[in-house]
Amino acid sequence: MYAEIISGKDLAQKLRTNMKLEVSELAKKGLTPHLTVVLVGEDPASKSYVKGKKKASAEVGISSEVIELPKETTEDELVQVVNTLNEDQKVHGILVQLPLPDHIDEQVIIETINPRKDVDGFHPVNIGRMMIGEDTFLPCTPYGIITMLKSTNIELEGKHAVIIGRSNIVGKPVGQLLLNEHVTVTHCHSRTVNLKSYTKMADILIVAVGKPHVIHADAVKEDAIVIDVGVNRLEDGSLTGDVDFEDVGKKAAYITPVPKGVGPMTITMLLKNTIKAAKGLE
Ligand code: GUN
């Protein structure tokens, strides 16, 4: 291994320690941040993510509650639940776990959440605010990635980032956040012709494909910073990333592991957004 490992786990721990202090200060003033998570249906991966969010909230002193609804819940019923939470003064952050069952339009639900309680940063108002560089709730995974990059103290300005993946949750917003940091950004995706010709030019390579080990050392520039957003469960139950960690680690300057990389940072940024929601946007 040549690359330095950027440990999301260690950075997350450090940030959470600071948040715990901040939350205890807020509590002294009578303000305890409260997050409500809505889970529709029985998807095991979603259940496990929600459990992780609840546990992490408790660790820093954020109060949280999970509303579990049956998979038959209608779109109208879910809109009603979100509207009730929008009006509840005690609820600072609302997170509706995705994916939702097929008969519910996710975008309708996302747009029902009060943007000031949208700790996922998925509401079009918050995406727009992010685009123009205003203070807002940033989507948690991209926010976590930027925080990890900044933790290396490497100058980002003028670097070339190549992002593989163009989802609304990761690929598109992480490109925008890098652009806000004066990085030159190239977006690649499933229809990109000759992907390797782009990835080999990347000072910063962000891989959010969702398939195990699609990136090997031959696709990476010497001394690149490689961020692996993939969370793939193998047949033996273990987790692995989109990047061949052993191989790429011999060539890159920095690399994030899976697990203990981007994952713990995503939840940490959700906690940060929840504290921000409790304090109120500027
Ligand atoms: N499902 C997978 N990731 C996420 C996330 O960041 N937020 C929500 N709401 N659902 C998800």
Side-chain angles (χ1 to χ4, degrees), residues 203-223:
D203 302 314
I204 301 167
L205 180 62
I206 299 185
V207 189
V209 175
K211 288 189 193 134
H213 297 189
V214 288
I215 294 295
H216 303 277
D218 63 337
V220 176
K221 182 172 151 180
E222 196 94 33
D223 285 334

Side-chain angles (χ1 to χ4, degrees), residues 11-227:
L11 182 57
Q13 196 54 54
K14 201 169 110 187
L15 295 172
R16 289 183 200 188
T17 303
N18 291 338
M19 283 180 207
K20 196 170 172 179
L21 284 174
E22 187 178 5
V23 172
S24 72
E25 287 303 315
L26 289 174
K28 283 182 203 156
K29 296 184 206 151
L31 179 64
T32 297
H34 181 91
L35 171 69
T36 299
V37 178
V38 182
L39 175 62
V40 183
E42 302 282 331
D43 179 60
S46 289
K47 277 192 152 179
S48 150
Y49 287 140
V50 167
K51 209 170 140 193
K53 287 165 185 173
K54 199 170 159 55
K55 182 163 169 268
S57 298
E59 274 167 22
V60 301
I62 292 175
S63 91
S64 73
E65 147 200 40
V66 180
I67 300 179
E68 291 191 43
L69 300 172
K71 65 176 186 304
E72 298 79 20
T73 304
T74 66
E75 188 176 294
D76 281 352
E77 284 166 343
L78 187 54
V79 165
Q80 279 306 315
V81 169
V82 172
N83 275 330
T84 304
L85 296 172
N86 281 342
E87 272 150 39
D88 187 340
Q89 300 291 316
K90 294 187 300 296
V91 175
H92 301 112
I94 303 170
L95 183 148
V96 179
Q97 185 65 29
L98 304 178
L100 290 169
D102 288 343
H103 64 274
I104 301 177
D105 184 338
E106 285 182 356
Q107 206 53 34
V108 167
I109 303 305
I110 288 170
E111 293 186 30
T112 301
I113 297 171
N114 178 345
R116 290 180 169 272
K117 297 190 176 190
D118 169 37
V119 286
D120 259 329
F122 291 168
H123 193 288
V125 164
N126 289 324
I127 295 170
R129 291 175 66 100
M130 175 189 67
M131 291 280 299
I132 59 174
E134 278 187 29
D135 183 38
T136 187
F137 298 112
L138 301 176
C140 302
T141 299
Y143 192 11
I145 292 169
I146 289 285
T147 305
M148 287 173 102
L149 286 171
K150 287 186 171 173
S151 78
T152 64
N153 286 321
I154 288 176
E155 178 78 31
L156 297 178
E157 188 172 326
K159 291 262 186 323
H160 179 205
V162 174
I163 299 155
I164 319 177
R166 55 173 158 175
S167 68
N168 289 337
I169 294 181
V170 181
K172 285 184 208 169
V174 80
Q176 189 59 51
L177 293 181
L178 287 165
L179 200 54
N180 293 354
E181 298 294 330
H182 314 291
V183 171
T184 302
V185 177
T186 300
H187 283 275
C188 296
H189 45 78
S190 54
R191 314 282 171 89
T192 297
V193 177
N194 198 355
L195 179 67
K196 220 188 277 181
S197 68
Y198 297 96
T199 58
K200 285 175 83 164
M201 290 196 302
D203 302 314
I204 301 167
L205 180 62
I206 299 185
V207 189
V209 175
K211 288 189 193 134
H213 297 189
V214 288
I215 294 295
H216 303 277
D218 63 337
V220 176
K221 182 172 151 180
E222 196 94 33
D223 285 334
I225 305 172
V226 180
I227 307 285

Side-chain angles (χ1 to χ4, degrees), residues 218-268:
D218 63 337
V220 176
K221 182 172 151 180
E222 196 94 33
D223 285 334
I225 305 172
V226 180
I227 307 285
D228 188 349
V229 191
V231 185
N232 306 293
R233 199 167 285 280
L234 298 178
E235 273 178 22
D236 67 1
S238 64
L239 286 183
T240 196
D242 293 351
V243 172
D244 183 340
F245 182 80
E246 290 301 324
D247 193 30
V248 173
K250 291 179 194 143
K251 197 168 181 187
Y254 291 88
I255 190 166
T256 65
V258 178
K260 301 183 182 170
V262 174
M265 289 301 291
T266 295
I267 296 193
T268 303

